Amino acid sequence: MRADKPDRQSRSPGLRAAHNRVIGARMSIQIKICGIRDEAAMDAAAEAGATHIGLVHYEPSPRHVTLDQAAKLRMRAPSSLKVVLLLVNQEPKPTALAIEAVRPDVVQFHGSETAEWLKVVKENAPVEVWKARGLQNAQTLERAKAYEGAADMLLFDAPAQKLPGGNGTAFDWTLLKGYDGKLPYGLAGGLDPDNVAQAIRETDAMLVDTSSGTESEPGVKDLEKIRAFCEAARNA
Ligand SMILES: O=C(O)c1ccccc1NCC(=O)[C@H](O)[C@H](O)COP(=O)(O)O
């Protein structure tokens, strides 16, 4: 049973870790359903209590949406949902065009984008910027600190495989024990309705993120799995 929680959504991500250290109480978790490609899945995520949806603009992905599709979903998104546009190693001009077309709340960089590049984007567009990092070992966790002062949040994911993300595999969450970075972080990689509560209890993640674990097949969201994931995360 989770104790009553202060209204988490009203606090900036940066306050969460401090809050938990001082108060010792976990704030409610933010939930991102990634790889949304249609309105039915977006509506199911909103109704289930998700706080973010991810729109993948990366053609090799089975979850790829065009900028036009992403813009239409953005326009239809309820105010309860923050829209995350997911890019992988896009050049500056296509990045600017994508942000202009979709007008996301967040841009998630899921390639080898540098901290300097994230700073440029943040200086030139009204967006939060997240950096996804595949965690292999303590060294990769330490290297993520390079994004402090540039990213608003880190998203710790499994290492890249055939795709940079969305591979449906989990990494060793114990790598995060003793994480002393300054940035809040989200947790991704192989999360599903059956393991998300454990992931929340074992880590200090600000947000949990799922793509494969809420699908019936790659790129096809399962509305019941979305509901089950959100319920399990909220009740962790
Ligand atoms: O989801 C994709 O297809 C994808 C493709 C290329 C880069 C990133 C991608 N997803 C980014 C995400 O934030 C996913 O939710 C995250 O990697 C977790 O995916 P999964 O392990 O399938 O839950």
Side-chain angles (χ1 to χ4, degrees):
M1 170 68 75
R2 294 170 62 85
D4 285 338
K5 301 285 176 295
D7 171 17
R8 174 200 184 86
Q9 310 312 340
S10 62
R11 292 173 177 267
S12 74
L15 283 177
R16 178 182 178 279
H19 169 93
N20 289 339
R21 276 196 293 272
V22 171
I23 308 295
R26 282 192 67 84
M27 298 168 66
S28 62
I29 195 81
Q30 296 185 35
I31 302 167
K32 174 181 166 229
I33 307 296
C34 194
I36 296 287
R37 298 171 63 220
D38 58 64
E39 293 187 16
M42 177 167 69
D43 292 346
E47 285 155 23
T51 55
H52 297 72
I53 55 167
L55 306 179
V56 177
H57 182 60
Y58 179 65
E59 289 191 9
S61 166
R63 303 163 187 110
H64 171 72
V65 288
T66 65
L67 293 182
D68 185 52
Q69 290 167 329
K72 286 188 169 78
L73 286 165
R74 155 83 262 173
M75 292 293 286
R76 267 269 289 109
S79 56
S80 63
L81 281 180
K82 282 193 172 183
V83 173
V84 181
L85 176 64
L86 197 141
L87 302 176
V88 179
N89 294 330
Q90 281 272 27
E91 293 298 318
K93 186 71 178 162
T95 299
L97 291 173
I99 293 173
E100 180 62 27
V102 180
R103 295 188 178 272
D105 299 291
V106 181
V107 180
Q108 174 181 318
F109 293 100
H110 215 108
S112 52
E113 299 87 354
T114 64
E116 288 66 31
W117 175 233
L118 269 64
K119 286 178 185 172
V120 168
V121 171
K122 203 164 164 60
E123 285 160 9
N124 290 279
V127 293
E128 277 183 54
V129 292
W130 298 356
K131 183 66 188 82
R133 300 285 291 170
L135 281 198
Q136 280 161 319
N137 50 41
Q139 288 70 37
T140 49
L141 180 61
E142 190 64 24
R143 284 201 294 270
K145 291 179 178 177
Y147 292 90
E148 292 175 0
D152 293 295
M153 190 169 83
L154 294 169
L155 184 72
F156 291 130
D157 196 351
Q161 295 173 31
K162 56 184 185 308
L163 289 170
N167 295 299
T169 54
F171 68 92
D172 177 4
W173 304 328
T174 62
L175 284 172
L176 291 170
K177 288 206 183 313
Y179 168 70
D180 60 356
K182 296 187 177 67
L183 287 175
Y185 67 84
L187 186 69
L191 297 181
D192 62 32
D194 296 326
N195 66 10
V196 65
Q198 180 191 347
I200 292 169
R201 288 193 293 267
E202 288 189 12
T203 71
D204 197 28
M206 168 88 192
L207 170 143
V208 286
D209 171 330
T210 178
S211 200
S212 310
T214 46
E215 293 180 337
S216 53
E217 61 184 88
V220 180
K221 283 298 178 231
D222 179 311
L223 306 191
E224 187 42 47
K225 286 184 179 178
I226 289 175
R227 279 186 276 273
F229 183 87
C230 292
E231 183 178 17
R234 284 200 318 272
N235 295 328

